[in-house]
Amino acid sequence: MDESTNSNDEQAMSTTTSSSTSSEQKSEEEKSNVQETNKQSEPVAMVTQEGDASTSESADTTETVASAPDGSPGAAAASSQSEGASETPSVEPATTDSQNSPSVPKETVNMKVMYNKKRHDVEFDLDGTVSGLKAHIETITGVPQAMQKLMFKGLMKDDKTLRELKVTNSAKLMLVGSTITDVLEVTKPVPKGAAAEKEAQAAAAKEPLCKQKQHKKVLDKGKPEDAMPGIKKRQDPLPTVPISGMYNKNGGKVRLTFKLEVDQLWIGTKERTEKVPMTSIKNVVSEPIEGHEEYHLLAIQLGPTEASRYWLYWVPAQYTTAIKDAILGKWQYF
């Protein structure tokens, strides 16, 4: 009995041991399977963790840069990143149309300058001054700028522009002046006694105009009531109004109007107005009236001979020089 009981107990213990061994083997197999499953899922988790770590590192870097004190490597890195972020490509300003467009040409005016019975075509800046125009005319005519007088509807002032004086294309300007050669000829010394002898011969050969019969007849009528005031020993420029209150050889009233812009002299009477081109006038002579030296006899020679002279009486003495200059286009030295 005891042996049988012991045998049963041994069998039972063997069964229990076998069962325990089998259970341990199953547990080990399950752990092995779990480990293999975990190994297969580890790459995905590692990738996710690496991504999170990268994000975290970036955030940490930003925080480190922001909190780093000045002069630290973090501050230098922050400054470098800030400079890189702030650097933008320079943009050149756009070129405007006015910069690309060509410069606007100056507005010029073409005019005719009358001098010494010759016409000179002159082109000049409309906004240029009369002084500048004179300098340009000097290169054409040889008349020094300082000796020039330009007339267009009166005397042209040096500081005025052609636009201000309303000079237009084809306008005619009258130049009065002398070249250096003309001045030297006039001022050439005369041998002693020659001038006086010549004047004496001329006086003996020529009777004063006011004493000649044809002129005395008109002068004896007396000075016209509407004659303009005369001033002796004085030279004034042409007035802005016609010179009136004079007689012609027939004793009729006459007036002179200078149309310098068209280079004409208008001789007006009660019957008609004769428009004479100044270039057709050959000469102008004058002489004081004895006893009334503030007035002159004046003759405008319209043709080649003295017979074509148009006589005027009681011409104010202060205007005679200006009349000669305007018509003949040069200085007179007598």
Side-chain angles (χ1 to χ4, degrees), residues 130-152:
V130 174
S131 178
L133 176 61
K134 286 182 177 180
H136 181 60
I137 290 176
E138 180 179 353
T139 63
I140 299 174
T141 62
V143 180
Q145 180 178 348
M147 299 179 65
Q148 292 182 30
K149 285 187 179 180
L150 280 174
M151 289 184 287
F152 176 74

Side-chain angles (χ1 to χ4, degrees), residues 283-309:
N283 198 10
V284 179
V285 295
S286 69
E287 185 179 290
I289 299 173
E290 287 186 3
H292 299 277
E293 283 77 9
E294 68 272 20
Y295 292 97
H296 279 222
L297 288 81
L298 188 141
I300 300 172
Q301 188 169 322
L302 303 177
T305 64
E306 293 184 3
S308 64
R309 289 179 175 179

Side-chain angles (χ1 to χ4, degrees), residues 222-251:
K223 184 180 70 173
E225 295 179 358
D226 58 347
M228 298 178 69
I231 305 173
K232 61 182 178 180
K233 296 182 180 181
R234 178 168 157 179
Q235 295 182 2
D236 289 346
L238 292 174
T240 57
V241 297
I243 301 175
S244 58
M246 300 173 291
Y247 287 144
N248 59 18
K249 67 179 182 178
N250 299 319

Side-chain angles (χ1 to χ4, degrees), residues 28 54 93 95 99 111 116 157 178 188 191 208 260 263-264 314 325 327:
E28 290 178 359
S54 176
T95 304
Q99 291 174 337
M111 66 202 96
N116 201 15
K157 295 183 178 180
S178 298
K188 185 181 294 184
L260 300 178
D263 194 30
Q264 291 181 351
W314 302 101
D325 292 344
I327 294 175

Side-chain angles (χ1 to χ4, degrees), residues 174-194:
M174 178 66 65
L175 171 63
V176 179
S178 298
T179 63
I180 297 297
T181 304
D182 294 337
V183 174
L184 292 176
E185 283 293 326
V186 173
T187 56
K188 185 181 294 184
V190 179
K192 290 182 177 181

